[in-house]
Amino acid sequence: MGRPQQCTVLAALAVEADRTVSVDTLVERVWGECPPTRARRTLHSHITRIRRLLERLDTGSGEPAQLSLGFGGYRLEMHSDDIDLHRFRRLVKEAGDRQCTPVEARRLLRDAISLWRGQPLAGLTGAWAERIRDSWSLERLEAVVAWAGVELTIGDPQSVIVELTGLSYDYPLVESIAAMLIRAQHAAGRTAEALDCYATIRSRLVDELGIEPGSELQQLHQAILRGGLDVPRPPEPPAFLATPPTVPVISTPRRYMVTPAQLPFDVRGFTGRHREMRQLSDALVMSRTHNEAGLCVLWGAAGAGKTSLAVHWAHDVAKHFPDGQLYVNLRGFEPSGVVVKPEEATRMFLDAFQVPPQSIPLSLEAQSALYRSCVAGRRMLVVLDNARDVEQVRPLLPGSSGCMVVVTSRRALSSLVAVEGAHPIAVEPLSAEQARTMLSSRLSSSPVAADDEAVDRLIARCAGLPLALALVAARAATYRHLDLRKLADELDQASGLLDNLVSTDATADVHSVLLWAYKSLSPEAARLFRLLGLSPGPDIDEMAVAHVTGANPSEVRMLLNELKDAHLISEHKPNRFSFHELLFAYALDLVRAVDTPQERDAAVRRLLTYYVASARTAAAFLEPHPDAAPDDGTDVRPARITSDREALEWFIAEHAVLLDVVRRADEDGYDALLCGIAQSLMEYFNRQGHWRDQDATQRLALGAARRLDDKNAEGQAHRGIGLAQAWLGHYDEAYTHSKSALDLACEVGSTGDQAQAHLALARVFERQNRHSEALGHDRAALMLAEIAHDRLAHAVSLNNVGWSLAMLEQYESAKEHCSRALTLLQELGNPSGEAATWDSLGYINHQLGNLPEAIECYRQAIRRNRDAGNRYAEADSRHHLGNTMMAMGDVAGAKDSWEQALTILDELEHPDGDAVRKRLSGLENTRAATGRRP
């Protein structure tokens, strides 16, 4: 389609199909109000390229598409059904015809909604694209609500609940969605949930907009309470069909801009498996023919090549899934026994769509519904690798007919076949002929053809498993002086050594191959391979590898290269290594048989200590504290982290590993290390919204602290659990744990920890809008921080007291506290703390009517956030600055500030961008901003 500008020109013409669009209008839609001097000349170049493109276009209607020059502009002549937007509007209009039956209306609306594949005008920027995107988003919402009404009329409330549950998280203030969801829940006999849904949206409307629900919602609520709610009639045609759409106050969720592409690297030199590839393709064709989601289960023994087959086929057909590909390794048969829980996998997929943490619901059922909403109407391929059972799989199955799911497992998962209609595909070991073909593709065909007897012996030892054959091919390719007969002799000799190292079982032939590959390593590389069996998590970085061996990084890189050449590990990302689960299990067998308990314990301790030290280093950047504890003196080289951005990136890259580190420390009894890493993870989890991970980690730390009889660590764990529960909305449990943290801090006499516990309690009450009680705990924290001579905690507490006072409209006292906090933070040289306090002062001055002073405070906050690299906080302050400028009547200044805020928030894919977009959308009618924090 060409560059974004050319796509914008085509989009601007397609929106007005069969109508002439003036040159001035096209220029404004592409370049905005201030186009470059050569804009018209560039436009003509784009028009020429578009004409060439249309000449080659194969339209669905069969009618040609032409771009003609009209009076003062250009006209795209194209059948309306060849443009999704116009076809969508036609289908919705037909569904709204009073002569249309509910069943026919449902079909038409489903067809219309299915045309939405991702975000409209994806990749296009500019005011016009944003404006039209918002307008179309409103059209889609109205169509979905119309469809939901028809479904309820027909009597299918469950499908409405699944669709609208996810949509209600995207648009929490749209009353029509909430009303239809409440009707569906009531119709399905889930009246308690319906009443809870009403309470939720009423609370949001009151808290965020200061208004009560509209008459429809209130009447609906009362009807449910009286028991007199009837099934809804078919809805009227959406209003946008009668009148041109206006710019809405809602916007398309930012995640729809994302096209996930998560498939691992394709398998180099993949051969064979023609039958299985054909079965997968047949299942895809069948699903498209019947307009239903496709589902296949590849099952077979470990090392049979299920993952390679799934990934290779996925790459082969990826072009048929333009809306993206999702992949997750469910780790169903990891030697450690740690599998990926359904809620963890669902969270990974929602993260892939960049769903904001605060928009992700609590229950697995609601998360699955939101995930299905993300893929609804999209053509996506989902690979669920290494599943243990159907319970792992079912929450991850999309409901969209355009999707295809491939599951791999060692088990047949017959329940998926019986209930969901999955196509089972057995992945058997390769036949002798297929194995020979695979070896020929990896090696020169001449040596394979030259010695049939040796090749037959090698194939027999590999038991037809591609993993074992790959190891043989790697050995042959690396040591070309060895002919295949000598390699076969080596393998025969290795099989006799198996009993000395590991117990034999039905896979003894495969173990022979693994042992043979292992015996070909240098002693140093062999030791590294064994020790990697002790590593946690799905992968490991190069620095961690150095610590597990105790060697220096330069030596480790040479050993890793040796393992890579032998195909015993793979570098799936730069400096990050993983290996097949069968190899992982084999390495674990070896390290237990060869290395002494003392050697294993030392390696695990070095590795865990590395992660603890690195997490502590990263946490220090996220939450700098001048009075932080010094390094513990251990001989550990932590990860190279030099900024808060690198710290956050390190935590994100190591997230899954760190969770396994916590579990390993708990299982192996490294209680002190467990407490240390749990404390370091707290700020990262808080920033990223991983409340469940924080809760689970801190609960393990709580048990470890009790075993250590460490009251201080126990209090820290209680505080972490309390904070997580507060964010999850479980305020009673949050209070219980935060109060326990305070009680323990009092018991050990730590005034600093008492201050932190009071701050945690204040946050529990603040989130419930109980500002008087929050103020009491903030003041207690302030007093205790002063006693403890903790200057940073003192400054933070001063600002928090000021904020609580401001929420209670005690603005003069609030200003005095925040001013004192600012002075102290400036002395400490803490730019992040300064920025937060300047922002508080800006809000307070706005409420006091000191608008010029408020503007200067916000500008100070912006400068310090920019210096500290805190982009979200910078955008937040720019938003507040725009509010104050608007209150002063500086419309141009407000618009500029909001636009800069929106640019940052959109780059961060942060949901707060919607609030700023609302300000800009309603700018013409707005006379003054309230100054309240959004």
Side-chain angles (χ1 to χ4, degrees):
M1 292 298 294
R3 294 181 296 174
Q5 285 184 356
Q6 181 175 316
C7 293
T8 304
V9 174
L10 180 56
L13 292 166
V15 169
E16 310 288 347
D18 289 329
R19 291 199 295 266
T20 299
V21 184
S22 70
V23 171
D24 288 340
T25 298
L26 289 171
V27 169
E28 189 275 333
R29 289 181 177 180
V30 176
W31 287 279
E33 297 178 356
C34 300
T37 55
R38 302 184 62 183
R40 286 174 175 262
R41 181 178 301 178
T42 305
L43 174 64
H44 294 318
S45 299
H46 291 324
I47 292 291
T48 300
R49 296 190 186 97
I50 291 172
R51 280 200 177 107
R52 293 171 184 164
L53 175 68
L54 294 176
E55 291 172 357
R56 304 191 304 270
L57 181 64
D58 183 15
T59 61
S61 66
E63 297 184 11
Q66 297 180 340
L67 182 56
S68 59
L69 178 63
F71 181 75
Y74 295 92
R75 175 190 181 97
L76 177 63
E77 298 173 359
M78 193 171 182
H79 193 283
S80 60
D81 268 11
D82 289 331
I83 301 173
D84 283 353
L85 172 68
H86 301 305
R87 186 182 178 200
F88 166 82
R89 287 173 172 169
R90 177 184 65 78
L91 292 169
V92 175
K93 185 175 183 179
E94 291 178 5
D97 192 308
R98 295 185 183 278
Q99 303 302 316
C100 188
T101 67
V103 173
E104 180 65 13
R106 176 173 64 178
R107 183 189 65 78
L108 291 168
L109 289 169
R110 282 180 174 176
D111 289 346
I113 296 168
S114 70
L115 294 172
W116 286 77
R117 295 184 292 272
Q119 185 194 47
L121 307 182
L124 303 189
T125 59
W128 176 78
E130 286 290 343
R131 187 167 62 250
I132 206 72
R133 229 185 326 256
D134 286 346
S135 177
W136 293 347
S137 176
L138 180 60
E139 294 187 36
R140 171 178 175 264
L141 284 183
E142 290 178 330
V144 171
V145 171
W147 161 81
V150 173
E151 288 285 10
L152 291 183
T153 301
I154 293 173
D156 185 10
Q158 189 57 43
S159 63
V160 175
I161 293 171
V162 170
E163 176 67 23
L164 295 194
T165 297
L167 210 57
S168 67
Y169 285 103
D170 298 331
Y171 303 101
L173 301 178
V174 178
E175 295 189 38
S176 59
I177 295 175
M180 198 60 72
L181 177 58
I182 290 170
R183 289 181 182 276
Q185 291 169 330
H186 178 69
R190 296 156 65 169
T191 302
E193 293 181 33
L195 293 173
D196 183 64
C197 182
Y198 174 81
T200 298
I201 190 170
R202 180 185 179 277
S203 176
R204 287 170 177 164
L205 291 169
V206 171
D207 292 345
E208 299 187 30
L209 301 181
I211 61 174
E212 289 288 339
S215 59
E216 179 188 6
L217 270 176
Q218 292 191 36
Q219 293 171 10
L220 182 61
H221 180 234
Q222 291 300 317
I224 292 176
L225 293 177
R226 292 193 305 268
L229 179 63
D230 296 326
V231 175
R233 298 186 184 127
E236 295 294 326
F240 68 79
L241 295 175
T243 58
T246 57
V247 178
V249 297
I250 55 177
S251 68
T252 304
R254 302 303 303 172
R255 69 169 183 278
Y256 289 120
M257 295 180 66
V258 182
T259 302
Q262 296 186 326
L263 294 179
F265 289 128
D266 197 359
V267 181
R268 184 178 63 86
F270 184 90
T271 58
R273 298 299 188 190
H274 302 299
R275 177 184 63 83
E276 294 86 351
M277 294 276 286
R278 186 172 57 254
Q279 287 179 290
L280 286 166
S281 298
D282 289 346
L284 174 59
V285 171
M286 185 179 298
S287 69
R288 294 287 170 87
T289 302
H290 295 285
N291 194 31
E292 59 188 13
L295 176 59
C296 291
V297 177
L298 299 175
W299 64 281
K306 301 181 296 296
T307 298
S308 298
L309 170 60
V311 170
H312 180 72
W313 182 81
H315 277 284
D316 197 45
V317 300
K319 60 182 177 291
H320 299 296
F321 299 93
D323 296 315
Q325 306 87 41
L326 296 170
Y327 172 88
V328 63
N329 182 358
L330 296 173
R331 302 168 62 189
F333 300 93
E334 286 287 311
S336 63
V338 178
V339 301
V340 175
K341 298 177 182 177
E343 55 266 32
E344 293 173 340
T346 307
R347 175 63 187 259
M348 291 178 192
F349 284 170
L350 293 176
D351 285 344
F353 286 110
Q354 295 187 359
V355 177
Q358 55 267 49
S359 297
I360 296 178
L362 303 182
S363 70
L364 174 60
E365 181 182 5
Q367 287 179 7
S368 296
L370 179 55
Y371 157 65
R372 292 188 179 100
S373 296
C374 287
V375 301
R378 304 180 77 169
R379 293 163 62 187
M380 300 197 70
L381 177 61
V382 182
V383 179
L384 307 177
D385 195 16
N386 199 12
R388 185 179 187 87
D389 48 42
V390 294
E391 283 71 24
Q392 272 189 305
V393 172
R394 282 200 170 109
L396 304 174
L397 297 179
S400 178
S401 59
C403 293
M404 178 75 182
V405 182
V406 178
V407 183
T408 75
S409 179
R410 295 188 193 178
R411 298 169 178 169
L413 303 182
S414 55
S415 179
L416 282 181
V417 178
V419 179
E420 279 78 13
H423 297 271
I425 301 175
V427 182
E428 304 286 353
L430 296 175
S431 66
E433 181 180 353
Q434 291 171 327
R436 182 179 294 272
T437 301
M438 178 178 174
L439 284 177
S440 297
S441 69
R442 299 292 182 95
L443 306 172
S444 170
S445 58
S446 53
V448 174
D451 197 335
D452 288 341
E453 187 271 337
V455 170
D456 289 341
R457 287 162 58 199
L458 290 172
I459 291 173
R461 283 298 182 190
C462 292
L465 295 184
L467 173 64
L469 288 165
L471 293 174
V472 168
R475 174 81 166 140
T478 303
Y479 299 95
R480 297 187 179 276
H481 64 282
L482 295 175
D483 59 32
L484 296 185
R485 187 175 296 275
K486 290 181 179 179
L487 291 175
D489 291 341
E490 280 189 2
L491 190 51
D492 287 339
Q493 294 170 8
S495 65
L497 300 174
L498 185 63
D499 292 336
N500 297 328
L501 292 175
V502 295
S503 61
T504 58
D505 55 21
T507 61
D509 283 334
V510 180
H511 279 161
S512 298
V513 177
L514 300 183
L515 178 59
W516 173 68
Y518 164 74
K519 296 292 286 184
S520 70
L521 299 172
S522 66
E524 295 80 8
R527 176 174 178 267
L528 172 57
F529 177 73
R530 296 195 307 271
L531 293 178
L532 286 176
L534 300 172
S535 62
D539 60 1
I540 186 170
D541 75 347
E542 190 171 336
M543 185 68 75
V545 174
H547 281 83
V548 80
T549 63
N552 65 61
S554 60
E555 293 174 348
V556 164
R557 186 71 212 193
M558 294 175 60
L559 299 178
L560 287 169
N561 287 336
E562 185 177 348
L563 293 181
K564 283 171 57 181
D565 291 340
H567 281 222
L568 291 171
I569 62 167
S570 62
E571 189 172 7
H572 67 104
K573 294 179 182 177
N575 297 321
R576 298 197 71 86
F577 301 87
S578 63
F579 48 8
H580 190 281
E581 62 187 29
L582 199 59
L583 290 165
F584 195 178
Y586 186 64
L588 188 58
D589 281 344
L590 286 171
V591 75
R592 288 170 175 168
V594 176
D595 298 272
T596 66
Q598 294 76 17
E599 290 171 330
R600 296 197 301 270
D601 182 73
V604 170
R605 182 174 290 277
R606 284 194 303 269
L607 190 60
L608 297 184
T609 304
Y610 160 75
Y611 283 115
V612 171
S614 298
R616 184 189 301 118
T617 300
F621 280 100
L622 295 187
E623 194 175 23
H625 198 298
D627 302 321
D631 186 75
D632 57 15
T634 56
D635 184 21
V636 173
R637 300 180 300 277
R640 302 182 187 92
I641 301 170
T642 60
S643 67
D644 56 349
R645 181 183 296 276
E646 289 182 3
L648 190 58
E649 290 174 350
W650 183 85
F651 273 125
I652 292 173
E654 300 288 356
H655 185 121
V657 176
L658 291 170
L659 292 179
D660 279 355
V661 166
V662 170
R663 298 186 188 105
R664 172 72 64 84
D666 178 63
E667 292 169 358
D668 294 351
Y670 296 101
D671 290 336
L673 292 176
L674 170 54
C675 292
I677 200 166
Q679 179 65 22
S680 297
L681 284 167
M682 195 182 301
E683 177 63 16
Y684 161 66
F685 284 153
N686 279 330
R687 287 198 182 191
Q688 293 290 297
H690 295 294
W691 314 124
R692 294 172 189 79
D693 287 341
Q694 172 159 318
D695 183 73
T697 299
Q698 296 296 336
R699 288 182 190 275
L700 291 179
L702 181 61
R706 286 171 173 166
R707 290 190 294 271
L708 293 169
D709 196 24
D710 186 337
K711 301 296 184 184
N712 184 277
E714 187 177 345
Q716 296 289 352
H718 274 299
R719 183 168 68 90
I721 297 171
L723 287 170
Q725 291 296 319
W727 281 106
L728 290 170
H730 305 153
Y731 299 120
D732 290 342
E733 189 170 3
Y735 175 81
T736 298
H737 283 282
S738 299
K739 183 63 167 59
S740 296
L742 178 59
D743 293 341
L744 285 164
C746 293
E747 181 180 340
V748 300
S750 172
T751 51
D753 287 341
Q754 290 176 51
Q756 293 297 326
H758 276 294
L759 289 174
L761 284 163
R763 299 293 73 74
V764 174
F765 290 117
E766 181 187 4
R767 287 188 57 77
Q768 300 176 80
N769 294 319
R770 296 162 64 178
H771 297 295
S772 295
E773 291 156 289
L775 177 60
H777 287 287
D778 282 328
R779 280 177 166 159
L782 176 62
M783 179 190 68
L784 289 162
E786 189 171 1
I787 294 173
H789 303 293
D790 187 334
R791 301 180 71 204
L792 181 58
H794 186 198
V796 170
S797 300
L798 276 171
N799 185 39
N800 287 356
V801 168
W803 180 250
S804 292
L805 288 169
M807 293 297 98
L808 294 169
E809 300 183 0
Q810 300 179 36
Y811 299 119
E812 292 293 349
S813 181
K815 185 174 183 179
E816 188 270 333
H817 279 82
C818 290
S819 297
R820 288 167 54 198
L822 181 62
T823 300
L824 184 53
L825 287 163
Q826 289 172 334
E827 293 175 4
L828 294 171
N830 190 303
S832 296
E834 288 181 52
T837 308
W838 277 117
D839 192 82
S840 296
L841 286 167
Y843 173 79
I844 293 166
N845 279 299
H846 187 130
Q847 301 305 317
L848 289 171
N850 304 327
L851 300 186
E853 190 173 345
I855 286 177
E856 180 57 28
C857 290
Y858 285 138
R859 285 174 172 163
Q860 292 283 358
I862 290 168
R863 280 194 286 270
R864 279 154 182 76
N865 279 318
R866 190 168 56 239
D867 293 342
N870 194 336
R871 303 197 69 215
Y872 167 71
E874 178 188 345
D876 201 37
S877 294
R878 287 190 183 278
H879 184 184
H880 304 156
L881 173 62
N883 296 346
T884 304
M885 286 181 162
M886 195 66 188
M888 291 184 69
D890 184 359
V891 177
K895 182 174 182 289
D896 180 67
S897 186
W898 287 337
E899 285 177 344
Q900 292 184 62
L902 185 58
T903 297
I904 296 173
L905 291 169
D906 281 353
E907 288 176 358
L908 297 175
E909 299 289 346
H910 200 285
D912 283 3
D914 292 344
V916 183
R917 200 170 284 107
K918 292 177 188 177
R919 300 281 192 189
L920 289 167
S921 298
L923 191 60
E924 293 78 6
N925 300 320
T926 302
R927 291 292 179 265
T930 64
R932 290 181 58 193
R933 285 179 181 249

